[in-house]
Amino acid sequence: MRQTVALIATGYLVDLVHGAASQAYTWKNVVTGGGGGFTPGIVFNPSAQGVAYARTDIGGAYRLNSDDTWTPLMDWANNSNWHDWGIDAIATDPIDTDRVYVAVGMYTNDWDPNDGSILRSTDQGDTWAETKLPFKVGGNMPGRGVGERLAVDPNDNSILYFGARSGHGLWKSTDYGETWSNVTAFTWTGTYIQDASSTYTSDPVGIAWVTFDSTSGSSGSATPRIFVGVVDTGESVFVSEDAGETWAWVSGEPMYGFLPHKGILSPSEHTLYISYANGAGPYDGTNGTVHKYNITSGVWTDISPTSLADTYYGYGGLAVDLQVPGTIMVAALNCWWPDELIFRSLDSGATWSPIWAWNGYPSIDYYYTYDISNAPWLQDDTSTDQFPVRVGWMVEALAIDPFDSNHWLYGTGETIYGSHDLLKWDTSHNVTVQSLAVGIEEMAVLGLITPPGGPALLSAVGDDCGFYHTSLTTAPSQYFHTPTYSSTNGIDYAGNKPANIVRSGSSDTDPTLALSSNFGSTWYADYAATSSTPTGQVAYSADADTILLSTSSGVLRSQNSATLATVASLPASAIIASDKANNTFFYAASGATFYLSTDTAATFTATTTLGASTTVNALRAHPSAAGDIWASTDTGLFHSTDSGNSFTQIGSGCTEGWSFGFGKPASDDAYPVLFGFFTIDGVTGLYKTEDEGVNWQMISDSSYGFGAASANIVNGDLATYGRVFVGTNGRGIFYGDASGTVPSATATATATAAASSTVKVGSSSSTASSSSTVGSSTSTAGVTTSKSTTLSTTTKGTSSSATTSTTTGSTATGTSTAYGQCGGSGYTGPTACPSGYTCTYENAFYSQCEYAT
Ligand SMILES: *[C@@H]1O[C@H](CO)[C@@H](O)[C@H](O)[C@H]1NC(C)=O
Ligand SMILES: *[C@@H]1O[C@H](CO)[C@@H](O)[C@H](O)[C@H]1NC(C)=O
Ligand SMILES: *[C@@H]1O[C@H](CO)[C@@H](O)[C@H](O)[C@H]1NC(C)=O
Ligand SMILES: *[C@@H]1O[C@H](CO)[C@@H](O)[C@H](O)[C@H]1NC(C)=O
Ligand SMILES: *[C@@H]1O[C@H](CO)[C@@H](O)[C@H](O)[C@H]1NC(C)=O
Ligand SMILES: *[C@@H]1O[C@H](CO)[C@@H](O)[C@H](O)[C@H]1NC(C)=O
């Protein structure tokens, strides 16, 4: 039988010659077990035991399971709704405890073109309905750890409030989040901006939190008393006594110019606890207080664990034990040195005990037992740090289980910690700090390779260096080290000697290139680079003698570990690749121009342009055939079998492509399987082709969308047929395995034949293997405003400038102070140190001026 039929109305065609081509894909995370990114919020439902959620800034929301693991709730996000992975607030309904709400959107500046949304779920996040807001929401903006700025009325759960950013004020819903209107009586929109120097930091953080006084009302009626905290250096805590009709400043609020990060009610004490910091976070803040407000008496009391004169941190995470009135905890937002501080009080803040304390410098009493068995890589086992950072940093999320005084969780810039023995803090003063982020995979992935004969996978990762994955199902014991990089920006292997690996990453102290000759198991610094050599994509020659490094300040080359030298014939930031079989061939592209080197990257010559393309997005060489090179561009996919002297465009239906890679074919003599993100017949997703682009199958689906196509890293597995790796920007690494009949290899294996055939697309939706039914509805519920209410449906991916959650570099001039901060992701202050002091790297977020002995 040989015929072509239209399968569904939307123009998908399945060629029945290859009718068995649709294989079912099963998707799982490559396990790192430790999160790997910032968790700005954790909320427990106060009425249903065990119901809790965590929100991330770039990787969606998660639900807690009874075995301490987490279930991701937003893996459906795809190229058209990638920004739904930015969660600026989350609210769990105290009455109908299956209801949960999130405010989503990634950036309020132009990195994200879309307005934000409120997503609502009635099944604890398994499925969601959406209402588009008439303004942006910034899940990955400054101040993303304040909150929660979304809240459900505990006496009438049809009522919700949402505090917006960017001057858009307070919003209210009276129909379970379906429609929203502006609370015009609330006129304080929050004027604080973090830093006027960039669009990213100069947008007002807006409203910080909404806290209902549940005790002021009765079940079934709107709660009369509502507190709202606003990110403002002036008056910043406001109250309504009439269910939101009128509002006033809470008089007596301390006026230090600090920003209220959290406002947590202790109902039985009739007290509101507030943490203040002089920065919006999550990186900044050097001063602050903790205050409580007695709602009955109207009296404010400073209960700060550290006196104003002595503090060098602001306060973030704040928790009350609902079972034990007067038991409260607070975290320094960032105590960068020597380690984060968390405090606990059993007497409503009159006295505090810390999680560690100096016992005569440099001796420290550690009042905790550290347990990272779930993610051993969280500490570098070769570290010689005098003061290892274990408690964390960026602690905005801190919560005590309302049903279990022993159970606490807190979020850091890197993982979630907590334990089930919190009461030991009060008895033996030795609580467990245990990594409890299993199931949360939040990394922003920058490179993935599977060198033949090597481990299951090697990953290059933003903020967490990268990993040698001996197994896809167990957490790595270490990140790459010696040298350790905060982010590894590029990784490649030598095609003929695949145990030889090169990586490029950022470091304040070590050369930014590292080499391995045992598949990345151990490494040594390549002194071809210094610590100030810029980092970027790398390409390793097939015989492992030459490294090509593409950076925004030029393309650099080193042969036999000689000092890097600029390759004058290539523009900065060129896309690069090495031939995997012929040591002399390197490839590059910039704009629409393709370049070839036949002298081991010493010189490049422009050979051709790629059709009507204006941008080449990725180059990949065939894993074993010399001169066989592919390019994805803004107009499609191109293939050359003559080292890039000429290219043929693949199929007319493929109109754009991003990251792609090759995997093991079904039979050894077949062409490798090509996997990648493409737009084919107008549909952007993850595709595979087993016949060089004649037939395609979309293998992303309605349950697994992988977020922004342009931000992802794709590679096939050269060891396992059908397996593909997808590195996301905030949801870690996925691997997909195929089941079902192997497509028959009837395509003519030449690019010319491929190019002349019509692209045929098999939709995988009918064969998706997932058992989950997650997916957002496309409800167009109205917003009661004259502004746009339409659902945005056609967005392209993120730009690379928005890649990770922590990419801002300091542009400040001037000199920091002795032992002051001088660097770190997100830091915007001076980077020079006073005479006699050296700026010393402590971690990805903090470098300090230390005395040079
Ligand atoms: C909402 O109300 C506030 C306060 O009246 C106002 O400043 C803001 O512009 C309003 N936002 C929108 C989107 O209408
Ligand atoms: C709050 O103030 C009232 C009135 O002065 C007092 O009776 C009550 O004990 C105070 N609450 C707390 C928790 O201190
Ligand atoms: C913190 O701020 C207060 C109030 O402005 C000030 O008095 C104090 O000196 C500051 N602390 C430090 C360490 O700068
Ligand atoms: C708490 O326990 C850990 C490990 O059991 C130990 O290293 C630490 O010294 C203890 N802290 C105190 C203050 O006893
Ligand atoms: C690599 O390609 C060059 C140019 O075509 C050729 O001269 C050389 O023999 C090739 N090397 C190998 C090892 O095949
Ligand atoms: C992307 O996700 C949305 C919402 O789940 C869905 O409606 C749409 O069909 C998906 N697009 C693709 C190409 O899968």
Side-chain angles (χ1 to χ4, degrees), residues 256 258 278 286-288 307-312:
Y256 296 113
F258 298 158
N278 67 346
T286 56
N287 203 344
S307 74
L308 266 180
D310 291 333
T311 189
Y312 58 101

Side-chain angles (χ1 to χ4, degrees), residues 62-387:
Y62 292 80
R63 182 177 63 222
L64 183 63
N65 301 311
S66 58
D67 63 356
D68 285 337
T69 66
W70 299 86
T71 297
L73 300 177
M74 309 181 74
D75 283 349
W76 40 262
N78 60 38
N79 193 58
S80 61
N81 46 28
W82 58 271
H83 86 156
D84 289 358
W85 277 353
I87 316 295
D88 212 8
I90 189 162
T92 171
D93 185 332
I95 297 173
D96 179 351
T97 57
D98 286 343
R99 289 185 189 265
V100 60
Y101 302 83
V102 285
V104 299
M106 201 70 83
Y107 300 103
T108 56
N109 63 344
D110 60 9
W111 297 349
D112 182 346
N114 301 309
D115 282 339
S117 302
I118 303 292
L119 306 185
R120 58 188 189 279
S121 171
T122 56
D123 52 15
Q124 297 192 355
D126 285 337
T127 60
W128 300 89
E130 175 177 33
T131 295
K132 207 87 185 166
L133 295 166
F135 48 80
K136 291 182 180 183
V137 169
N140 197 26
M141 293 299 285
R144 55 196 178 275
V146 303
E148 294 296 315
R149 56 170 83 206
L150 180 63
V152 180
D153 190 320
N155 288 304
D156 176 352
N157 64 333
S158 67
I159 298 173
L160 285 90
Y161 284 85
F162 173 61
R165 291 175 176 268
S166 319
H168 294 297
L170 185 66
W171 291 70
K172 181 180 183 179
S173 170
T174 56
D175 56 5
Y176 301 93
E178 199 170 327
T179 61
W180 292 82
S181 55
N182 195 342
V183 181
T184 51
F186 190 89
T187 54
W188 305 273
T189 62
T191 59
Y192 177 84
I193 61 168
Q194 192 170 54
D195 179 354
S197 68
S198 77
T199 63
Y200 177 64
T201 52
S202 62
D203 190 55
V205 179
I207 290 173
W209 42 265
V210 177
T211 302
F212 290 90
D213 177 2
S214 52
T215 67
S216 69
S218 53
S219 178
S221 306
T223 299
R225 185 177 299 113
I226 310 163
F227 293 98
V228 174
V230 166
V231 184
D232 202 293
T233 56
E235 297 174 349
S236 64
V237 178
F238 302 90
V239 65
S240 173
E241 301 284 351
D242 53 11
E245 290 296 314
T246 60
W247 298 83
W249 178 54
V250 179
S251 65
E253 185 195 4
M255 298 295 287
Y256 296 113
F258 298 158
L259 313 168
H261 277 235
K262 303 280 162 181
I264 307 287
L265 182 78
S266 173
S268 51
E269 292 187 284
H270 214 212
T271 294
L272 184 69
Y273 290 93
I274 300 172
S275 57
Y276 286 94
N278 67 346
Y283 311 108
D284 56 356
T286 56
N287 203 344
T289 64
V290 185
H291 272 78
K292 66 176 177 182
Y293 174 69
N294 181 327
I295 298 170
T296 310
S297 65
V299 172
W300 288 83
T301 308
D302 186 342
I303 56 166
S304 308
T306 312
S307 74
L308 266 180
D310 291 333
T311 189
Y312 58 101
Y313 38 81
Y315 295 94
L318 182 61
V320 304
D321 184 342
L322 290 176
Q323 305 257 339
V324 187
T327 294
I328 58 176
M329 295 176 72
V330 69
L333 170 56
N334 286 298
C335 179
W336 289 110
W337 186 89
D339 195 1
E340 176 66 317
L341 270 167
I342 299 175
F343 301 91
R344 180 170 165 93
S345 173
L346 306 180
D347 53 13
S348 311
T351 61
W352 296 90
S353 66
I355 197 160
W356 59 262
W358 293 108
N359 179 18
Y361 181 91
S363 175
I364 292 179
D365 286 334
Y366 295 105
Y367 301 118
Y368 62 88
T369 302
Y370 192 54
D371 175 1
I372 50 170
S373 48
N374 286 327
W377 56 268
L378 286 167
Q379 286 287 301
D380 186 342
D381 67 13
T382 66
S383 170
T384 54
D385 286 352
Q386 184 178 19
F387 303 115

Side-chain angles (χ1 to χ4, degrees), residues 489-620:
N489 296 303
I491 190 165
D492 195 21
Y493 70 94
N496 293 332
K497 299 180 175 178
N500 292 274
I501 319 285
V502 61
R503 63 186 164 95
S504 166
S506 43
S507 171
D508 285 353
T509 49
D510 293 308
T512 61
L513 284 176
L515 296 170
S516 172
S517 53
N518 57 10
F519 289 108
S521 174
T522 60
W523 297 85
Y524 51 97
D526 181 358
Y527 287 88
T530 69
S531 64
S532 55
T533 303
T535 91
Q537 296 293 309
V538 280
Y540 212 1
S541 67
D543 296 341
D545 60 25
T546 302
I547 295 163
L548 191 63
L549 168 67
S550 180
T551 79
S552 56
S553 44
V555 180
L556 306 169
R557 170 190 187 251
S558 165
Q559 193 162 37
N560 300 320
S561 285
T563 304
L564 287 159
T566 300
V567 178
S569 43
L570 284 182
S573 299
I575 306 290
I576 56 171
S578 56
D579 197 282
K580 291 294 167 222
N582 188 318
N583 196 57
T584 63
F585 289 171
F586 275 80
Y587 309 105
S590 182
T593 307
F594 186 87
Y595 297 84
L596 169 65
S597 170
T598 57
D599 57 5
T600 323
T603 59
F604 281 79
T605 308
T607 56
T608 184
T609 54
L610 297 171
S613 307
T614 61
T615 305
V616 173
N617 291 323
L619 294 177
R620 293 272 189 263

Side-chain angles (χ1 to χ4, degrees), residues 12 76-81 683-685 698 700-702 775-778:
Y12 293 93
W76 40 262
N78 60 38
N79 193 58
S80 61
N81 46 28
V683 180
T684 298
M698 188 165 119
S700 53
D701 59 41
S702 58
S776 82
S777 87
T778 51

